[in-house]
Amino acid sequence: MLVRDAMSTVVLTIGPAHTLRQAARLMSARRVGAAVVLDPDTCGLGILTERDILNAVGAGQDPDRETAHGHTTTDVVFAAPGWTLEEAAAAMSRGEFRHLIVLDEHEPVGVVSVRDIIRCWLPARERAGAVPV
Protein backbone atom coordinates (compact mmCIF):
# COMPACT_ATOMS: atom_id res chain seq x y z
CA MET A 1 0.00 0.00 0.00
CA LEU A 2 1.06 3.54 -0.70
CA VAL A 3 0.93 6.80 1.23
CA ARG A 4 -1.73 8.09 -1.20
CA ASP A 5 -3.99 5.22 -0.05
CA ALA A 6 -3.66 6.10 3.63
CA MET A 7 -3.21 9.86 3.79
CA SER A 8 -5.86 12.33 4.81
CA THR A 9 -6.53 14.82 2.04
CA VAL A 10 -7.91 17.28 4.59
CA VAL A 11 -4.93 19.62 4.86
CA LEU A 12 -5.39 22.33 7.44
CA THR A 13 -3.12 25.23 6.56
CA ILE A 14 -2.52 28.04 9.04
CA GLY A 15 -0.19 30.99 9.26
CA PRO A 16 2.59 31.55 11.80
CA ALA A 17 0.57 34.32 13.52
CA HIS A 18 -2.30 32.01 14.50
CA THR A 19 -2.46 31.59 18.26
CA LEU A 20 -2.22 28.11 19.68
CA ARG A 21 -5.87 28.35 20.74
CA GLN A 22 -6.93 29.27 17.19
CA ALA A 23 -4.87 26.40 15.81
CA ALA A 24 -6.37 23.98 18.35
CA ARG A 25 -9.91 25.08 17.48
CA LEU A 26 -9.29 24.63 13.76
CA MET A 27 -7.63 21.25 14.27
CA SER A 28 -10.50 20.11 16.48
CA ALA A 29 -13.16 21.32 14.04
CA ARG A 30 -11.50 19.44 11.16
CA ARG A 31 -10.67 16.42 13.33
CA VAL A 32 -6.97 16.47 12.44
CA GLY A 33 -3.92 16.12 14.64
CA ALA A 34 -1.63 18.45 12.72
CA ALA A 35 -1.70 21.71 10.81
CA VAL A 36 0.60 22.72 7.98
CA VAL A 37 2.09 26.12 8.81
CA LEU A 38 2.75 28.23 5.75
CA ASP A 39 5.08 31.13 6.43
CA PRO A 40 5.01 33.57 3.48
CA ASP A 41 8.10 35.36 4.84
CA THR A 42 10.25 32.23 4.60
CA CYS A 43 8.41 30.50 1.74
CA GLY A 44 8.57 27.37 3.81
CA LEU A 45 6.26 24.78 5.22
CA GLY A 46 6.27 23.65 8.81
CA ILE A 47 4.03 21.52 10.96
CA LEU A 48 2.24 22.19 14.23
CA THR A 49 0.89 19.12 15.98
CA GLU A 50 -1.48 18.48 18.83
CA ARG A 51 1.56 17.43 20.87
CA ASP A 52 3.20 20.83 20.26
CA ILE A 53 0.11 22.54 21.65
CA LEU A 54 -0.13 20.13 24.58
CA ASN A 55 3.53 20.69 25.47
CA ALA A 56 3.09 24.48 25.40
CA VAL A 57 -0.01 24.42 27.60
CA GLY A 58 1.61 21.87 29.93
CA ALA A 59 4.58 24.22 30.31
CA GLY A 60 2.21 26.98 31.47
CA GLN A 61 2.31 29.01 28.27
CA ASP A 62 -0.77 31.04 27.39
CA PRO A 63 -2.46 29.56 24.28
CA ASP A 64 -4.03 32.96 23.57
CA ARG A 65 -0.63 34.66 23.38
CA GLU A 66 1.63 31.95 22.01
CA THR A 67 1.65 31.75 18.23
CA ALA A 68 2.20 28.86 15.87
CA HIS A 69 5.47 30.48 14.82
CA GLY A 70 7.11 29.70 18.16
CA HIS A 71 6.01 26.06 18.20
CA THR A 72 6.24 25.00 14.57
CA THR A 73 8.63 22.29 13.49
CA THR A 74 10.42 23.64 10.43
CA ASP A 75 12.92 20.81 9.98
CA VAL A 76 10.22 18.71 8.33
CA VAL A 77 10.49 15.35 6.63
CA PHE A 78 8.09 15.22 3.70
CA ALA A 79 6.55 12.15 2.10
CA ALA A 80 5.55 11.58 -1.50
CA PRO A 81 2.20 10.03 -2.43
CA GLY A 82 4.06 7.14 -4.06
CA TRP A 83 6.02 6.16 -0.95
CA THR A 84 5.11 2.81 0.52
CA LEU A 85 3.58 2.78 3.97
CA GLU A 86 6.73 0.99 5.12
CA GLU A 87 8.84 3.94 3.92
CA ALA A 88 6.56 6.38 5.73
CA ALA A 89 6.60 4.32 8.93
CA ALA A 90 10.39 4.05 8.79
CA ALA A 91 10.75 7.84 8.37
CA MET A 92 8.42 8.41 11.33
CA SER A 93 10.32 5.92 13.46
CA ARG A 94 13.72 7.43 12.59
CA GLY A 95 12.52 10.97 13.24
CA GLU A 96 10.39 10.07 16.28
CA PHE A 97 7.31 11.89 15.00
CA ARG A 98 3.76 10.84 14.12
CA HIS A 99 2.81 12.94 11.08
CA LEU A 100 4.26 13.48 7.61
CA ILE A 101 3.21 16.23 5.23
CA VAL A 102 2.67 14.68 1.80
CA LEU A 103 3.95 16.79 -1.09
CA ASP A 104 3.19 16.38 -4.76
CA GLU A 105 5.17 18.74 -7.01
CA HIS A 106 6.10 20.86 -3.96
CA GLU A 107 2.45 21.33 -2.92
CA PRO A 108 0.92 19.83 0.23
CA VAL A 109 -1.72 17.31 -0.86
CA GLY A 110 -2.20 15.44 2.38
CA VAL A 111 -0.98 14.40 5.78
CA VAL A 112 -0.30 10.83 6.79
CA SER A 113 -0.20 9.81 10.43
CA VAL A 114 0.72 6.69 12.34
CA ARG A 115 -3.00 6.15 12.89
CA ASP A 116 -3.62 6.29 9.12
CA ILE A 117 -0.98 3.63 8.53
CA ILE A 118 -2.40 1.36 11.22
CA ARG A 119 -5.89 1.71 9.72
CA CYS A 120 -4.52 0.38 6.42
CA TRP A 121 -2.26 -2.31 7.81
CA LEU A 122 -4.60 -3.90 10.32
CA PRO A 123 -7.31 -5.10 7.87
CA ALA A 124 -4.65 -6.48 5.52
CA ARG A 125 -2.99 -8.38 8.37
CA GLU A 126 -6.36 -9.69 9.56
CA ARG A 127 -7.16 -10.95 6.04
CA ALA A 128 -3.82 -12.71 5.97
CA GLY A 129 -4.56 -14.33 9.35
CA ALA A 130 -1.64 -12.57 11.05
CA VAL A 131 -3.75 -10.73 13.64
CA PRO A 132 -6.53 -12.32 15.68
CA VAL A 133 -9.87 -10.59 15.14
Side-chain angles (χ1 to χ4, degrees):
M1 277 198 139
L2 302 178
V3 165
R4 74 171 52 87
D5 302 319
M7 71 183 191
S8 169
T9 56
V10 176
V11 180
L12 172 61
T13 304
I14 64 172
H18 277 81
T19 67
L20 294 184
R21 184 174 311 278
Q22 290 169 325
R25 279 190 184 128
L26 292 168
M27 290 164 65
S28 178
R30 287 175 178 78
R31 300 177 48 90
V32 297
V36 174
V37 181
L38 178 57
D39 190 342
D41 293 334
T42 65
C43 296
L45 295 175
I47 191 166
L48 179 73
T49 67
E50 56 199 356
R51 183 174 290 179
D52 297 325
I53 295 169
L54 180 66
N55 287 341
V57 172
Q61 296 176 330
D62 184 348
D64 292 312
R65 291 184 186 210
E66 292 293 316
T67 62
H69 174 76
H71 300 275
T72 297
T73 300
T74 54
D75 183 19
V76 179
V77 175
F78 299 102
W83 277 18
T84 66
L85 294 185
E86 289 80 5
E87 289 172 306
M92 290 178 188
S93 179
R94 277 192 308 275
E96 298 182 352
F97 46 79
R98 298 178 300 152
H99 297 86
L100 286 168
I101 299 171
V102 182
L103 295 183
D104 191 10
E105 309 233 353
H106 306 291
E107 293 296 320
V109 294
V111 175
V112 66
S113 70
V114 170
R115 181 176 291 155
D116 297 327
I117 292 172
I118 291 170
R119 281 188 191 134
C120 287
W121 276 349
L122 192 56
R125 292 182 52 84
E126 286 173 347
R127 284 191 303 275
V131 176
V133 179

Coordinates of all heavy atoms in Angstrom, one line a residue, residues 3-4 6-8 11 36 45 47 76-83 88 99-113 116:
V3 N 1.3 5.6 0.4 CA 0.9 6.8 1.2 C -0.4 7.4 0.7 O -1.3 7.8 1.5 CB 2.1 7.8 1.3 CG1 1.6 9.2 1.8 CG2 3.2 7.3 2.2
R4 N -0.5 7.5 -0.6 CA -1.7 8.1 -1.2 C -3.0 7.3 -0.8 O -4.1 7.9 -0.7 CB -1.6 8.2 -2.7 CG -1.8 6.9 -3.5 CD -1.9 7.1 -5.0 NE -0.9 7.9 -5.6 CZ 0.3 7.4 -6.0 NH1 0.6 6.1 -5.9 NH2 1.2 8.2 -6.6
A6 N -3.4 5.9 2.2 CA -3.7 6.1 3.6 C -3.8 7.5 4.1 O -4.5 7.8 5.1 CB -2.5 5.5 4.4
M7 N -3.3 8.5 3.3 CA -3.2 9.9 3.8 C -4.6 10.5 3.9 O -5.5 10.1 3.2 CB -2.3 10.7 2.9 CG -2.9 11.0 1.5 SD -1.7 11.9 0.5 CE -2.8 12.4 -0.9
S8 N -4.7 11.5 4.8 CA -5.9 12.3 4.8 C -5.6 13.5 3.8 O -4.6 14.1 3.8 CB -6.0 12.9 6.2 OG -7.0 13.9 6.2
V11 N -6.2 18.9 4.5 CA -4.9 19.6 4.9 C -5.3 21.0 5.5 O -5.7 21.9 4.7 CB -4.0 19.8 3.7 CG1 -2.7 20.5 4.1 CG2 -3.7 18.5 3.0
V36 N -0.5 22.3 8.8 CA 0.6 22.7 8.0 C 0.7 24.2 8.2 O -0.3 24.9 8.0 CB 0.4 22.4 6.5 CG1 1.5 23.0 5.6 CG2 0.3 20.9 6.3
L45 N 7.3 25.5 4.5 CA 6.3 24.8 5.2 C 6.8 24.2 6.5 O 7.9 23.7 6.6 CB 5.8 23.6 4.4 CG 5.1 23.9 3.1 CD1 4.8 22.6 2.3 CD2 3.8 24.7 3.3
I47 N 5.2 22.3 10.4 CA 4.0 21.5 11.0 C 3.9 21.8 12.4 O 4.8 22.0 13.2 CB 4.2 20.0 10.7 CG1 2.9 19.2 11.0 CG2 5.4 19.5 11.5 CD1 2.9 17.8 10.5
V76 N 11.3 19.7 8.6 CA 10.2 18.7 8.3 C 10.7 17.7 7.3 O 11.4 18.0 6.4 CB 9.0 19.4 7.8 CG1 7.9 18.4 7.4 CG2 8.5 20.5 8.7
V77 N 10.3 16.4 7.6 CA 10.5 15.3 6.6 C 9.2 15.2 5.9 O 8.1 15.1 6.5 CB 10.8 14.0 7.3 CG1 10.9 12.9 6.3 CG2 12.1 14.1 8.1
F78 N 9.3 15.3 4.6 CA 8.1 15.2 3.7 C 8.0 13.8 3.1 O 9.0 13.2 2.8 CB 8.1 16.3 2.6 CG 8.2 17.7 3.1 CD1 9.4 18.4 3.2 CD2 7.0 18.3 3.6 CE1 9.4 19.7 3.6 CE2 7.0 19.6 4.0 CZ 8.2 20.3 4.1
A79 N 6.8 13.4 2.8 CA 6.6 12.1 2.1 C 6.0 12.5 0.7 O 5.5 13.5 0.5 CB 5.5 11.3 2.9
A80 N 6.2 11.5 -0.2 CA 5.6 11.6 -1.5 C 4.4 10.6 -1.5 O 4.4 9.6 -0.9 CB 6.6 11.2 -2.6
P81 N 3.4 10.9 -2.3 CA 2.2 10.0 -2.4 C 2.6 8.6 -2.8 O 1.9 7.6 -2.5 CB 1.3 10.7 -3.5 CG 1.7 12.1 -3.6 CD 3.2 12.1 -3.2
G82 N 3.7 8.4 -3.6 CA 4.1 7.1 -4.1 C 4.9 6.3 -3.1 O 5.3 5.2 -3.4
W83 N 5.3 6.9 -1.9 CA 6.0 6.2 -0.9 C 5.2 5.0 -0.5 O 3.9 5.1 -0.4 CB 6.3 7.0 0.3 CG 7.5 7.9 0.2 CD1 8.1 8.4 -0.9 CD2 8.1 8.5 1.4 NE1 9.1 9.2 -0.5 CE2 9.1 9.3 0.9 CE3 7.9 8.5 2.7 CZ2 9.9 10.1 1.7 CZ3 8.7 9.2 3.6 CH2 9.7 10.0 3.1
A88 N 7.1 5.3 4.9 CA 6.6 6.4 5.7 C 6.7 6.0 7.2 O 7.2 6.8 8.0 CB 5.1 6.6 5.4
H99 N 3.5 12.4 12.3 CA 2.8 12.9 11.1 C 3.8 13.3 10.0 O 4.9 13.7 10.3 CB 2.1 14.2 11.4 CG 1.0 14.1 12.4 ND1 1.2 14.1 13.8 CD2 -0.4 13.8 12.2 CE1 0.0 13.9 14.4 NE2 -0.9 13.8 13.5
L100 N 3.5 13.1 8.8 CA 4.3 13.5 7.6 C 3.4 14.3 6.7 O 2.2 13.9 6.4 CB 4.7 12.3 6.8 CG 5.9 11.4 7.4 CD1 6.0 10.1 6.6 CD2 7.2 12.2 7.4
I101 N 3.9 15.4 6.3 CA 3.2 16.2 5.2 C 3.5 15.6 3.9 O 4.7 15.2 3.6 CB 3.7 17.7 5.2 CG1 3.4 18.4 6.5 CG2 3.0 18.5 4.1 CD1 4.1 19.8 6.7
V102 N 2.5 15.3 3.1 CA 2.7 14.7 1.8 C 2.7 15.8 0.7 O 1.8 16.6 0.6 CB 1.5 13.7 1.5 CG1 1.8 13.0 0.2 CG2 1.4 12.7 2.7
L103 N 3.8 15.8 0.0 CA 4.0 16.8 -1.1 C 3.9 16.1 -2.4 O 4.4 15.0 -2.7 CB 5.3 17.5 -1.0 CG 5.6 18.4 0.2 CD1 7.0 19.0 0.1 CD2 4.5 19.4 0.4
D104 N 3.2 16.8 -3.4 CA 3.2 16.4 -4.8 C 3.5 17.6 -5.6 O 2.8 18.6 -5.5 CB 1.8 15.8 -5.1 CG 1.8 15.1 -6.5 OD1 2.9 14.9 -7.1 OD2 0.7 14.8 -7.0
E105 N 4.7 17.6 -6.2 CA 5.2 18.7 -7.0 C 5.3 20.0 -6.1 O 4.8 21.1 -6.5 CB 4.3 19.0 -8.2 CG 4.1 17.8 -9.0 CD 4.4 18.0 -10.5 OE1 4.6 19.1 -10.9 OE2 4.4 17.0 -11.2
H106 N 5.8 19.8 -4.9 CA 6.1 20.9 -4.0 C 4.9 21.5 -3.3 O 4.9 22.5 -2.7 CB 7.0 22.0 -4.6 CG 8.2 21.5 -5.2 ND1 9.3 20.9 -4.5 CD2 8.6 21.4 -6.5 CE1 10.2 20.6 -5.3 NE2 9.9 20.8 -6.5
E107 N 3.7 20.9 -3.5 CA 2.4 21.3 -2.9 C 1.9 20.3 -1.9 O 1.9 19.1 -2.2 CB 1.4 21.5 -4.0 CG 1.7 22.7 -5.0 CD 1.7 24.0 -4.3 OE1 0.9 24.3 -3.4 OE2 2.6 24.8 -4.7
P108 N 1.5 20.8 -0.7 CA 0.9 19.8 0.2 C -0.4 19.3 -0.3 O -1.3 20.0 -0.6 CB 0.7 20.7 1.5 CG 0.7 22.1 1.1 CD 1.5 22.2 -0.2
V109 N -0.5 18.0 -0.4 CA -1.7 17.3 -0.9 C -2.3 16.4 0.2 O -3.4 15.9 0.0 CB -1.5 16.5 -2.1 CG1 -1.1 17.4 -3.3 CG2 -0.4 15.4 -1.9
G110 N -1.7 16.3 1.3 CA -2.2 15.4 2.4 C -1.3 15.4 3.6 O -0.2 15.9 3.6
V111 N -1.8 14.7 4.6 CA -1.0 14.4 5.8 C -1.2 12.9 6.1 O -2.4 12.5 6.0 CB -1.4 15.3 7.0 CG1 -0.7 14.9 8.2 CG2 -1.2 16.8 6.7
V112 N -0.2 12.2 6.4 CA -0.3 10.8 6.8 C 0.2 10.7 8.2 O 1.2 11.3 8.6 CB 0.4 9.9 5.8 CG1 1.9 10.0 5.8 CG2 0.0 8.4 6.1
S113 N -0.6 10.0 9.0 CA -0.2 9.8 10.4 C 0.0 8.3 10.7 O -0.4 7.5 9.9 CB -1.3 10.4 11.3 OG -2.5 9.5 11.2
D116 N -3.2 6.6 10.5 CA -3.6 6.3 9.1 C -3.0 5.0 8.6 O -3.6 4.2 8.0 CB -3.2 7.4 8.2 CG -3.9 8.7 8.5 OD1 -5.1 8.7 8.9 OD2 -3.3 9.8 8.2

